[in-house]
Amino acid sequence: MESRVELIAELREKFFKKLDDEGPPDPRGFHPADIDRIKHNGDWLRRFLEHNEYNLQESLSMLWEACNWRRKFGTNDISEDNVRKDYLEEGVIFSHGKDKDGKTLFIVKSKLHVKGVKDFGELQRCIVYWFERLEREENGNQISIFFDMAETGLSNMDMEFTKYLIGLFKSYYPNFLNYIIIFEMPWVLNAAFKLIKSWLPAKAIPKIKFVTKSTLKDFVDPNDILKCWGGTNDYTFTFVSEERASTENAINDKLDNKKVHFSESSPLTEQPPSGFGDQVSEEQLLSIEPEAIIFNKEGNEIIGRIVLKNVTTDKPLSYKIKTTSPQKFRVRLSSGIISPSERCSVTVVLQSGYNLRGLLNNDRFLVMCLPVKNVTATAQELTTIWKSGKPAEQHRLRCCDGTSENNEVQKTYSILSSGSKEEYHHTVDALCYQVSRLEQNCNQLYKEIKYLQIFSIIMTVLMAIAVIYILRNDIQNADLENCHIHHNI
């Protein structure tokens, strides 16, 4: 035990020595939350060592790459507020129940997933959201991934999706996987899972368990076996927002005892607890200059800038920025705290691979603010505060092309949130989802029509053969009758 403690300390020391010698791969540096984990969370470092069988150099390489990926992917900033909520609510991926070792099951309902229907980048963010959430809820304890393959076919088998899941366990979430449980896998997918096995390290192969309704109880707690799996648990999936009970008391430490006032038409669906008021703020808290994000080309990047100003003289403000297209934009300082009467500059960079076409009509930004008591509140405390209350004020911003000569388009646009507009955006999202489902159904119908056409052709040929056979017999019988007649004559 003592030697393992020494290895953890040595891994920590080697990481920071490498950081001093080489510097971080990303110009922004590693995320402060990850640096803090390395400094103070020995259990996290221990998992890297266990994952690599206490090989110090391999553990260091994996830790370094994991921190680099977490910064580039924005892992620490992922929350329910900036992922596709409709993907979470569909129930393709969710957590429920325990395996026989007491590890939480991360369930993949394969029959609900069809390759190519969802935006893969957004799906990746939802998977990482669940991994991060389970890390917090389970204190870094292992989980088991449960592939529910019942009623699935080739169209449900997304190898890219499966490879991404395995890659997370393999490269970025050390010693996080207990079992891979595969339930009722159709025989037609055997070849696919042989390929999946090749992606796993040799020591992980024994973790794969193929089960049926009769053998599921050997790996899943009988009380957690759902009715659709042959058990008695009548659980029906409904997405439930994350709760962090251990940090609820932090709210009272960071907020005044006075009620916080919110805009009546806030689009957020979270309901505030009884300690929050529902009145409309009578004073403006935040001003934005300009009141639209105007993008211009600067070097090799397309950049827009806004300045947020806390117009109050006595209230620190926590702000948060969301966008309708998180895959398109990189927001620098997407959240933070602004002291009374101070300003904060925010830069929005259009990601490579996208252009300005369509920005004016399709993309929007939402700037929200909330009064806080402590200007030195940590990121975790701010997350708790935002989870527990509605924004006091919201501004919607358009995107504008700075090279455009259309003065009407360049006019600034910022309004306090409107319920009707939010309903409009929800309606558009719902319509896009329905269109995707309609395309999926059309593809399925097209396949069925092709099968029907083939069946019709086969039946037509068989009927033609039968008609020819009947006519031939009739002709032969007629000839025989004629022969008998002539013979009698």
Side-chain angles (χ1 to χ4, degrees):
M1 179 63 71
E2 185 178 350
S3 62
R4 294 183 178 183
V5 172
E6 292 172 356
L7 279 173
I8 291 172
E10 190 175 354
L11 177 59
R12 181 183 290 118
E13 181 182 348
K14 284 184 175 293
F15 178 89
F16 285 112
K17 185 178 186 305
K18 183 174 182 177
L19 185 60
D20 290 337
D21 293 344
E22 302 178 12
D26 193 291
R28 296 171 295 170
F30 292 126
H31 196 282
D34 293 328
I35 294 296
D36 187 67
R37 287 176 86 182
I38 296 171
K39 287 180 178 179
H40 303 109
N41 191 339
D43 286 339
W44 195 45
L45 298 183
R46 174 182 50 77
R47 287 170 54 191
F48 283 93
L49 290 165
E50 290 175 345
H51 187 91
N52 294 283
E53 298 179 343
Y54 289 91
N55 183 306
L56 192 60
Q57 190 55 46
E58 290 181 4
S59 300
L60 175 61
S61 298
M62 184 181 184
L63 175 61
W64 187 267
E65 288 303 317
C67 290
N68 186 32
W69 169 78
R70 292 176 68 85
R71 169 54 100 177
K72 289 182 177 180
F73 195 82
T75 306
N76 289 289
D77 301 319
I78 287 179
S79 69
E80 295 165 26
D81 297 328
N82 54 28
V83 299
R84 287 285 298 267
K85 201 69 174 287
D86 55 329
Y87 287 8
L88 297 179
E89 293 171 346
E90 272 186 324
V92 175
I93 52 176
F94 61 97
S95 69
H96 176 73
K98 304 284 185 181
D99 66 14
K100 291 288 281 189
D101 297 333
K103 315 297 186 183
T104 295
L105 295 176
F106 179 63
I107 299 165
V108 180
K109 198 80 170 176
S110 298
K111 74 173 184 179
L112 300 181
H113 175 73
V114 178
K115 183 178 180 179
V117 172
K118 294 182 176 64
D119 182 286
F120 189 63
E122 290 297 322
L123 189 59
Q124 288 176 322
R125 290 173 59 81
C126 289
I127 295 171
V128 172
Y129 159 79
W130 270 114
F131 273 43
E132 289 294 301
R133 174 170 172 172
L134 290 171
E135 282 258 14
R136 291 187 290 267
E137 292 178 345
E138 303 302 319
N139 252 350
N141 197 10
Q142 289 180 325
I143 64 173
S144 286
I145 185 168
F146 186 100
F147 285 99
D148 182 354
M149 306 294 293
E151 302 177 29
T152 61
L154 290 173
S155 63
N156 305 117
M157 192 63 196
D158 189 343
M159 301 301 286
E160 188 179 14
F161 171 80
T162 307
K163 188 173 184 179
Y164 184 75
L165 268 174
I166 292 174
L168 291 178
F169 286 112
K170 187 176 179 180
S171 303
Y172 307 127
Y173 290 86
N175 201 29
F176 195 43
L177 177 64
N178 190 39
Y179 288 128
I180 299 175
I181 302 173
I182 303 171
F183 174 73
E184 296 283 356
M185 188 183 74
W187 65 269
V188 295
L189 301 181
N190 282 334
F193 267 89
K194 286 182 180 178
L195 177 60
I196 290 172
K197 283 184 179 181
S198 69
W199 298 334
L200 291 166
K203 63 182 181 181
I205 300 299
K207 292 178 178 286
I208 301 178
K209 307 297 180 183
F210 292 91
V211 299
T212 61
K213 288 183 177 180
S214 61
T215 60
L216 181 57
K217 62 182 181 298
D218 295 335
F219 296 98
V220 175
D221 188 319
N223 294 324
D224 290 324
I225 298 179
L226 306 183
K227 286 185 175 179
C228 61
W229 302 338
T232 57
N233 191 313
D234 59 357
Y235 170 80
T236 301
F237 168 78
T238 302
F239 178 74
V240 178
S241 295
E242 182 179 6
E243 296 179 359
R244 297 178 186 170
S246 60
T247 55
E248 283 180 353
N249 293 332
I251 301 168
N252 294 328
D253 296 333
K254 301 302 171 187
L255 297 178
D256 286 316
N257 291 329
K258 297 178 182 179
K259 293 183 177 180
V260 180
H261 302 297
F262 296 97
S263 172
E264 284 182 340
S265 54
S266 168
L268 298 185
T269 57
E270 294 101 333
Q271 294 299 319
S274 58
F276 291 88
D278 297 320
Q279 296 175 342
V280 181
S281 175
E282 297 179 355
E283 60 175 336
Q284 184 177 2
L285 303 176
L286 187 71
S287 70
I288 303 176
E289 301 174 359
E291 295 180 339
I293 302 179
I294 302 174
F295 287 87
N296 292 283
K297 191 170 181 62
E298 298 182 12
N300 295 325
E301 294 184 318
I302 298 175
I303 296 176
R305 290 185 173 86
I306 56 174
V307 175
L308 311 181
K309 181 180 179 181
N310 184 347
V311 297
T312 71
T313 58
D314 60 344
K315 298 176 181 177
L317 297 180
S318 171
Y319 74 89
K320 182 185 291 188
I321 300 176
K322 298 198 297 184
T323 175
T324 55
S325 303
Q327 74 279 6
K328 287 186 182 180
F329 302 100
R330 184 171 71 251
V331 182
R332 295 169 181 165
L333 296 179
S334 61
S335 63
I337 296 179
I338 311 175
S339 299
S341 303
E342 288 194 354
R343 295 170 177 263
C344 173
S345 178
V346 176
T347 301
V348 182
V349 181
L350 185 66
Q351 298 276 38
S352 59
Y354 296 95
N355 54 49
L356 289 176
R357 182 182 301 173
L359 283 179
L360 304 182
N361 298 320
N362 298 329
D363 299 307
R364 298 287 187 274
F365 283 78
L366 179 67
V367 182
M368 304 176 290
C369 68
L370 184 67
V372 295
K373 182 178 180 181
N374 191 345
V375 294
T376 61
T378 65
Q380 185 175 6
E381 290 169 342
L382 288 177
T383 300
T384 302
I385 292 171
W386 278 99
K387 290 286 183 184
S388 305
K390 295 190 295 184
E393 191 172 282
Q394 299 177 95
H395 299 262
R396 296 187 186 280
L397 305 181
R398 280 187 177 181
C399 298
C400 296
D401 182 357
T403 62
S404 173
E405 297 179 356
N406 188 340
N407 292 330
E408 291 300 318
V409 170
Q410 292 295 340
K411 286 184 178 180
T412 58
Y413 180 86
S414 177
I415 59 172
L416 293 178
S417 63
S418 164
S420 59
K421 286 183 177 290
E422 188 63 19
E423 291 173 2
Y424 166 77
H425 289 299
H426 281 305
T427 302
V428 170
D429 289 342
L431 286 174
C432 290
Y433 171 72
Q434 292 298 331
V435 168
S436 297
R437 294 299 296 271
L438 184 60
E439 290 177 348
Q440 175 186 341
N441 292 336
C442 285
N443 290 335
Q444 184 64 31
L445 184 60
Y446 176 75
K447 292 179 182 178
E448 292 175 357
I449 290 174
K450 287 189 69 175
Y451 294 144
L452 185 60
Q453 288 175 336
I454 294 172
F455 178 77
S456 299
I457 292 171
I458 293 173
M459 291 300 297
T460 302
V461 171
L462 291 175
M463 290 185 66
I465 293 172
V467 169
I468 292 171
Y469 177 79
I470 293 171
L471 291 174
R472 184 178 178 182
N473 284 341
D474 288 343
I475 292 171
Q476 289 178 346
N477 292 335
D479 290 339
L480 288 174
E481 289 176 2
N482 289 334
C483 288
H484 284 301
I485 292 172
H486 288 299
H487 181 72
N488 293 331
I489 292 174

